[in-house]
Amino acid sequence: MNYTAEEIRNALYNNELCVYYQPLYVTMTSQLKSAEALIRWKKPDGTLILPADFIPVAEESDLIMEIDWYVTEAVCRTLEKQNMMPQYPISVNFSRKHIREENFARKLTELVDKYELPHPLIEIEITESAMVVEENRLFDWITSIRNAGFTVAIDDFGSGLSSLQFVKDVPADVLKIDKSLLSHNCEDEKERIVLESIFTFAHRLHMKTVAEGVETKEQLAFLRSLDCNKIQGFIFAHPMPEDEYLALCLAHKAAEEPKDILQIQSP
Ligand code: C2E
Ligand code: MG
Ligand code: MG
Ligand code: MG
């Protein structure tokens, strides 16, 4: 179903857009590490509309600019609620349109500072398709965000446009490997070779790696053997509403606390 920009704008102003969170885990240990914010449109009748059905239309207009900032502010409020625990960072997807937004890094800083949150708690995701923008402009944009203390991830890496030139020069912190590169059972030798090479060059270029769309035990075992840093996928968790995500953070925190009473009482 395709919605009009007008319908999406109304949804935004009527607070029907909400943010779900999908946890990311350390590949080797399955420890909760961070989350990704993913927008949902909750209709008054309760139906949930996925981004594929309205983000492309929003991207054709400037509405996407407002939506991404709206999501970022919602993320700040969620992080604020988390302040009793070790705070798990949250990544936010930004449309490539923001690359041309004036003073993007300053705007982000002002918003995050309003909530008094440490900047490393926010990660900006930009898809590799952003490469269609003039490369120097994209790299300057990424650098200005990192200079302000936030982290930057290249999303959907390997899904189409990536050139080796790009990987060599992009000043990002994280490469998120697109789910299309990962087959269901990971039995293909060529697939292993390609993924192994991606992880090797990413790590040697000082970037962290994330595999998305991990659904099977075979994929998990495969990614463990390849030294991938974090994984995201239905095998661990689907995107969930804020209250569920906060409860999950609390449960993880409790599970990681020292069980030994002597340890708890020691200064
Ligand atoms: P993305 O940023 O690559 O997000 C990951 C997508 O993969 C999410 O789809 C997530 O639900 C899905 N996913 C996670 N684990 C699995 C799995 O194991 N298997 C499968 N098949 N899928 C999995 P979602 O939430 O439908 O979002 C789709 C895309 O919409 C996102 O892809 C992102 O590009 C865009 N998007 C979402 N929220 C926002 C937003 O706030 N702003 C902007 N500009 N784009 C957004
Ligand atoms: Mg993303
Ligand atoms: Mg992605
Ligand atoms: Mg994707």
Side-chain angles (χ1 to χ4, degrees):
M1 166 106 190
N2 265 330
Y3 296 95
T4 64
E6 199 49 40
E7 287 171 304
I8 302 164
R9 182 171 289 112
N10 286 335
L12 174 65
Y13 295 151
N14 295 331
N15 279 317
E16 289 174 24
L17 299 186
C18 62
V19 180
Y20 271 42
Y21 294 96
Q22 186 179 27
L24 277 77
Y25 296 84
V26 178
T27 310
M28 290 301 174
T29 61
S30 307
Q31 275 174 304
L32 178 66
K33 191 70 178 175
S34 62
E36 177 173 10
L38 295 160
I39 197 164
R40 299 288 181 262
W41 177 357
K42 207 184 253 170
K43 293 273 196 97
D45 68 6
T47 45
L48 212 57
I49 314 292
L50 292 171
D53 285 334
F54 62 96
I55 288 291
V57 176
E59 280 197 314
E60 283 166 21
S61 69
D62 278 344
L63 196 51
I64 193 66
M65 311 294 276
E66 257 182 274
I67 289 178
D68 290 344
W69 285 116
Y70 170 88
V71 170
T72 311
E73 181 136 27
V75 165
C76 288
R77 274 191 246 108
T78 301
L79 285 167
E80 200 181 30
K81 290 180 195 163
Q82 256 194 17
N83 65 5
M84 295 306 289
M85 40 186 102
Q87 286 168 300
Y88 301 102
I90 297 179
S91 61
V92 189
N93 293 284
F94 272 89
S95 157
R96 64 175 185 234
K97 280 200 155 187
H98 291 276
I99 295 166
R100 295 184 187 280
E101 188 169 1
E102 260 182 64
N103 300 320
F104 178 88
R106 200 204 297 164
K107 214 172 152 183
L108 183 63
T109 299
E110 279 168 10
L111 178 59
V112 174
D113 287 354
K114 194 170 90 181
Y115 291 88
E116 298 179 2
L117 296 165
H119 293 193
L121 285 180
I122 304 276
E123 178 171 285
I124 303 302
E125 289 191 14
I126 184 95
T127 61
E128 67 162 24
S129 67
M131 268 184 280
V132 298
V133 175
E134 196 192 326
E135 202 172 76
N136 284 343
R137 190 187 271 268
L138 170 63
F139 290 176
D140 288 349
W141 185 79
I142 293 176
T143 301
S144 68
I145 297 167
R146 294 181 72 214
N147 285 345
F150 305 96
T151 56
V152 177
I154 303 299
D155 203 357
D156 302 346
F157 178 77
S159 62
L161 286 163
S162 337
S163 72
L164 291 172
Q165 180 78 39
F166 174 82
V167 197
K168 178 170 78 65
D169 294 332
V170 69
D173 302 277
V174 180
L175 271 194
K176 290 191 80 173
I177 318 299
D178 195 66
K179 48 181 168 281
S180 63
L181 287 181
L182 207 60
S183 68
H184 210 69
N185 50 22
C186 308
E187 277 171 350
D188 181 18
E189 176 66 12
K190 285 186 183 169
E191 176 183 322
R192 167 176 276 276
I193 293 167
V194 168
L195 280 164
E196 207 164 19
S197 311
I198 294 176
F199 289 117
T200 303
F201 68 60
H203 295 153
R204 293 197 63 191
L205 292 166
H206 308 291
M207 286 186 278
K208 299 276 188 214
T209 48
V210 176
E212 38 175 37
V214 183
E215 294 178 354
T216 67
K217 283 186 185 148
E218 289 81 2
Q219 290 172 332
L220 176 59
F222 176 65
L223 291 163
R224 283 190 169 156
S225 75
L226 291 186
D227 212 17
C228 172
N229 297 120
K230 286 196 284 186
I231 60 173
Q232 175 179 6
F234 298 164
I235 189 172
F236 281 128
H238 286 252
M240 59 187 82
E242 184 199 49
D243 53 347
E244 257 178 62
Y245 172 66
L246 289 172
L248 184 127
C249 292
L250 264 180
H252 265 265
K253 164 82 167 76
E256 278 166 24
E257 247 157 29
K259 298 282 180 293
D260 185 345
I261 188 78
L262 292 174
Q263 256 175 290
I264 294 169
Q265 285 172 344
S266 66

